[in-house]
Amino acid sequence: QVHLVESGGGLVPHGGSLRLSCVLSGRTFTDYQMAWFRQTPGAGREFVAAVSRSGQSTYYSESVEGRFTISRDNAKNTLYLQMNSLKPEDTAVYYCAARSSPMSITSMINEYHYWGQGTQVTVSS
């Protein structure tokens, strides 16, 4: 059973930075493509970024490209999201997700089978 635990959320000022982490346990980390999604109250879950199993391929939503960086440390079974130049509209609960597939990385939420519990990120204006 895959278990995902996020950490690193908090309150930051407009323009600040934050790094989220997500640890995968229960299965082999390198078997999974990983991604970050986010959700605000009353809205659906939105794709943020994804990374391939090796870490060599990444994909970002337009709203975060150039400000956020997704990466993974396969030796530590850990996924990261470095968030810079944060804006109030980045405020959301951030979720990490895992997908066991040999196919190309994807932003499609239904393709991810395992989810963490989420971590709150709040950006003050």
Side-chain angles (χ1 to χ4, degrees):
Q1 179 74 11
V2 173
H3 189 52
L4 300 171
V5 178
E6 302 99 334
S7 62
L11 174 64
V12 293
H14 187 176
S17 297
L18 207 58
R19 188 177 81 159
L20 305 183
S21 300
C22 172
V23 177
L24 185 149
S25 61
R27 289 291 185 268
T28 302
F29 187 54
T30 51
D31 286 345
Y32 296 87
Q33 296 176 15
M34 302 296 296
W36 290 98
F37 289 78
R38 65 188 182 186
Q39 188 170 19
T40 54
R45 205 163 286 189
E46 172 193 25
F47 171 76
V48 174
V51 63
S52 62
R53 292 181 292 179
S54 67
Q56 291 186 338
S57 296
T58 57
Y59 179 52
Y60 296 91
S61 70
E62 288 187 8
S63 62
V64 307
E65 189 157 20
R67 299 188 297 123
F68 291 11
T69 302
I70 188 171
S71 62
R72 62 191 294 163
D73 185 335
N74 287 341
K76 295 182 178 179
N77 294 351
T78 302
L79 173 73
Y80 301 102
L81 184 68
Q82 178 66 44
M83 305 185 292
N84 298 329
S85 302
L86 282 160
K87 305 174 182 179
E89 50 263 45
D90 294 318
T91 295
V93 177
Y94 283 72
Y95 297 89
C96 69
R99 170 180 184 240
S100 176
S101 172
M103 306 302 287
S104 299
I105 53 176
T106 180
S107 62
M108 300 297 292
I109 188 170
N110 292 336
E111 295 289 332
Y112 290 89
H113 312 120
Y114 305 100
W115 294 84
Q117 82 289 348
T119 186
Q120 176 71 46
V121 172
T122 303
V123 184
S124 61
S125 57

